[in-house]
Each structure stands twice: as structure tokens, then as C-alpha cells.
Amino acid sequence: MQVATQGALITNDATTLGILAVILGAVFYTNASQHPFWRKFYSVIPALLLCYFLPSLLNTFGIVDGNASSLYFVASRYLLPACLVLLILSVDLKAIMGLGPKAVIMFFTGTLGIVIGGPIALLTMSAIDPSLTANMGPDSVWRGMTTLAGSWIGGGANQAAMKEIYDVGGEIFSVMVTVDVIVANIWMAVLLMLAARAKQIDARTGADTRAIEVLKQKVEQYHADHARIPSLSDLMLIVAVGFGVTGFAHFSADFLGPFFSENYPWTEQYSLTSKFFWLVVIVTSVGLAMSFSPARHLEAAGASKVASAYLYILVATIGLHMDVTRIIDTPIYFMVGIIWMLVHAALMLGVAKLIKAPLFYMAVGSQANVGGAASAPVVAAAFHPALAPVGVLLAVLGYALGTYMAWFCGQLLQLSAQ
């Protein structure tokens, strides 16, 4: 796959893919290292940030022209749908409800905080700088913010989905990805600091933490009973399900997009004429349906790990579109992101105090939205290692809801910009 890119040092996508793979391998290898230097380094710099940032340097310094590369298109059309279905098929709605109403309430409160926080942040900052609501086509600020909503409700896969559904321009997307990573990691650091004082905070608020102790035992027992080393057959089934559903979704989207475009053109404002919209909705819906079938047991063989590998390749190709020098010119976008996160945080803390929810539910419910499966387990494990899978469980629910709720947030953002 050869790309003619004027001015870039590397124009062959196969070479670029190889470089991205080496970068990802190096990040994960050093992140898993027990060497004191790397342990200290990654305690300050999140691995996920490097997966975005290092590929962005290739674009920033003209080594690769990310906008001319076909890698993002391939990753977003093939790896992203497969990633979504593999993440979502493992969702156990019954187990999530078994966490207790307060855990679920806090998770949905976090989702609500993101949905309403975006329009509030846009309206607040546009009072200072009216140009934020100006119509700049694909690079309109509200369009870029839809990708932030996708990331903060679901994760990187949902972020990429919003980029395509709302036809987000590369320039504003580059800025929003940087805002996403930095603001989200600042909030995660706050949650980790709160986790260190969980007992004192829960005692002060009068939260009942007995359910968490029961939860620890259930989680440990479940994984002891179901986890297994994947065989080649397991891995091939995981690949078959991921790309099989992706193929079906493409086939269906190729019919549905043009059908709505020709017969109901007014539905374009709701993205129903977009093939990519139908692609993502179909894989999400099929994934949810499969979570009630025996296919969900593929998670015990590592379906979400395979999905995460796809996701990080997608993350690297997204990073390849970033120009890190852009954020220096547009600090106002950081303020938009910070106000957005403050709305989310205020709502989470307020509801947690109102219903006397343990800090664990607040922190993991928030991070399951904002950080997704990449970091929700980290926050959960800060309370107790056995609780890390709870973070994954809620994060998977975030992946399932991310497409729908981020799309709805996008509609609100569009109205706010008018």
C-alpha cells in the first residue's frame, strides 16, 4: 500500500505501520518492566498518553503525513468495528445490576455529566469567545467536541466512531485528542489521590461499604471459575466473531445509508444517512445481543484483550493525525475541556453525597466513562486488586452506551452552536 506524500520522509504505509507497531510494543514492554526507572516514569506519564503522543511526533516533524496515510481509514473501518463487538459481547448486564443500585446510579450519573457537560462548557466559553460557535464546516468546535464525548463516555473506539459520524475535520480533531488525553489524565490522578483516602472519606459521608466486601469475593470467585489460557481455536473464534460481525455490519450499512439518503433525506441531521453511523450501531447492537448467548464466554479466553490490541493500533493511527504544536495556539480548548470535566465531577460528587455511595462507586463509575477499559481497572485496583475487573465490567457498559449517548450529546452540541 503505497501513498504518494509530498514532503514526508516516509510515504509507504507498510513502513509506517511497522513503526507504529514497534512504538506500541516498546511502550507496553517498558510499561510492564519492573525496572525502577520505568516504574517511576509510568507513575508520572500514562502509557496511553505515549500511544497517542509518540506517533504524533512522526506527523509533527514531517516524518509521516498522517492525513495522507490510509492506515487510519483501514483501522477505523475494519479494526474499530471488530474491537467494539468483542468488547461489548462480554458485557454481563445481570452482573452489573448485581453490583447494587448505587454503583449503577453512579455510572449513569457519570454518563449524564458528560452528555450535559459538553453543551454547558461550549455555551460558557462561547460567551467569552463567540468564535467557538462559528460554523467552520468539518473543523467546527462542536464537531470536535463530539469526539471528546465519545471518548469520555466509551473510549477510543467510540471517539473514532464520532469522528466519522459527525465528519470531524483533522485540525479540530487533533486539538481535541490532546485535550482529551491531558484533561482525562488529570482527573484520573485526582481519583487515584481520593482512593488513597477512601476509608476516611467513606466514614465521613456515612457510606455503607459492606456490599463492596461481598463484591470482592464474587469477583474473585468468578474469575477463578472461568478464566483460561486461550487455545488457537479460541483465538480463531474471537477473530471470526469480530470480523464476521464487521462484515455483516458493512453489508447492512451499505444498504441502510443510501436507503435513508434517497428516501428520507431529512434524516441526515440525525446521521441516519451515514454508512459509518449504521456500521457502528449494528456492531454495537449485535454485540449486545451476543452478550446473552454462549459467545460471551469468549471473554474468558481473552476476547477483550484481542479487542484492546485492535484498539491500540487504532489509537496509534489517530495519534498519527495529531500536530502537538496546535494546542499551544489554542489554549481556550483546554478551558472547554476543564469546564466540561468540572461539570461531570460536580455531578458525580453531588449525587454520591446525596445517596451516600461509597467513594469506590463514584471513582470507578466516573473512570468507566472517562477512561474506559484502559484505565477504569487501574482506578478500581487502587481500592483493592480484586476489584479491577469491576472497572472493566462498567467500562464495557460504557463502550455499549458510548455510541448512543455520544451521538445524543453531539445533537445537543449542534443545537448549542446554532
Side-chain angles (χ1 to χ4, degrees):
M1 185 162 52
Q2 187 76 25
V3 178
T5 308
Q6 188 174 9
L9 182 63
I10 296 173
T11 59
N12 189 309
D13 272 350
T15 304
T16 304
L17 178 61
I19 294 172
L20 295 181
V22 170
I23 288 173
L24 291 174
V27 169
F28 277 86
Y29 177 80
T30 52
N31 187 44
S33 172
Q34 296 303 312
H35 191 282
F37 171 79
W38 291 116
R39 300 319 302 160
K40 185 175 182 180
F41 177 81
Y42 283 106
S43 68
V44 178
I45 307 296
L48 182 61
L49 179 60
L50 290 183
C51 293
Y52 280 112
F53 179 70
L54 293 179
S56 77
L57 297 180
L58 299 176
N59 186 56
T60 302
F61 293 106
I63 298 173
V64 174
D65 185 346
N67 293 319
S69 171
S70 300
L71 290 179
Y72 173 75
F73 179 84
V74 173
S76 64
R77 294 318 192 272
Y78 306 144
L79 297 185
L80 167 60
C83 167
L84 281 172
V85 72
L86 292 176
L87 286 170
I88 294 168
L89 69 80
S90 64
V91 68
D92 187 342
L93 295 178
K94 183 178 179 181
I96 290 175
M97 296 306 295
L99 294 175
K102 290 184 179 179
V104 179
I105 288 170
M106 292 312 303
F107 173 82
F108 283 109
T109 297
T111 302
L112 178 63
I114 298 301
V115 170
I116 67 173
I120 289 173
L122 180 59
L123 290 172
T124 300
M125 291 307 297
S126 64
I128 300 172
D129 184 355
S131 68
L132 290 176
T133 54
N135 182 8
M136 294 183 285
D139 284 307
S140 296
V141 175
W142 75 265
R143 292 183 189 274
M145 291 176 70
T146 65
T147 66
L148 215 50
S151 178
W152 287 354
I153 296 175
N158 305 88
Q159 179 184 44
M162 291 305 106
K163 180 181 187 299
E164 296 302 320
I165 288 172
Y166 283 104
D167 189 27
V168 181
E171 187 172 321
I172 190 66
F173 182 63
S174 174
V175 175
M176 288 301 170
V177 167
T178 309
V179 172
D180 170 20
V181 175
I182 294 176
V183 174
N185 278 292
I186 289 173
W187 175 236
M188 181 179 173
V190 171
L191 291 177
L192 292 174
M193 287 188 286
L194 290 174
R197 304 180 64 247
K199 288 185 178 179
Q200 298 94 312
I201 294 173
D202 286 335
R204 191 180 308 149
T205 60
D208 184 359
T209 59
R210 288 177 295 179
I212 296 177
E213 297 304 318
V214 174
L215 185 60
K216 291 177 185 177
Q217 297 174 7
K218 286 184 178 180
V219 170
E220 289 174 334
Q221 188 62 46
Y222 176 84
H223 280 266
D225 293 343
H226 294 86
R228 67 177 188 270
I229 297 174
S231 64
L232 179 59
S233 295
D234 288 326
L235 294 174
M236 292 309 296
L237 278 173
I238 290 170
V239 170
V241 168
F243 288 110
V245 174
T246 297
F248 169 74
H250 271 280
F251 177 81
S252 302
D254 284 344
F255 166 76
L256 290 169
F259 173 79
F260 276 89
S261 180
E262 293 171 11
N263 297 284
Y264 307 99
W266 57 270
T267 61
E268 182 178 1
Q269 61 183 316
Y270 301 110
S271 307
L272 298 185
T273 58
S274 166
K275 290 184 181 180
F276 196 85
F277 171 81
W278 287 110
L279 173 64
V280 174
V281 167
I282 290 167
V283 295
T284 299
S285 302
V286 173
L288 280 172
M290 294 181 75
S291 72
F292 294 96
S293 74
R296 69 174 306 273
H297 296 304
L298 286 174
E299 171 57 20
S304 63
K305 290 184 175 63
V306 174
S308 295
Y310 296 161
L311 177 59
Y312 277 99
I313 294 173
L314 175 66
V315 163
T317 64
I318 290 174
L320 202 61
H321 285 73
M322 287 174 55
D323 182 348
V324 295
T325 61
R326 284 288 305 158
I327 201 64
I328 300 173
D329 302 327
T330 52
I332 194 168
Y333 295 126
F334 270 114
M335 290 306 302
V336 170
I338 289 170
I339 292 173
W340 194 342
M341 191 60 71
L342 285 174
V343 172
H344 165 80
L347 194 60
M348 291 294 288
L349 292 169
V351 173
K353 185 176 182 180
L354 182 66
I355 67 174
K356 294 186 177 181
L359 182 66
F360 172 74
Y361 289 157
M362 189 284 292
V364 176
S366 173
Q367 199 61 26
N369 279 284
V370 177
S375 56
V378 176
V379 171
F383 290 84
H384 189 281
L387 295 174
V390 177
V392 176
L393 199 63
L394 285 174
V396 168
L397 180 58
Y399 281 121
L401 289 174
T403 300
Y404 307 115
M405 298 308 295
W407 173 83
F408 179 64
C409 180
Q411 296 297 306
L412 296 179
L413 287 165
Q414 186 175 12
L415 288 173
S416 302
Q418 290 177 352

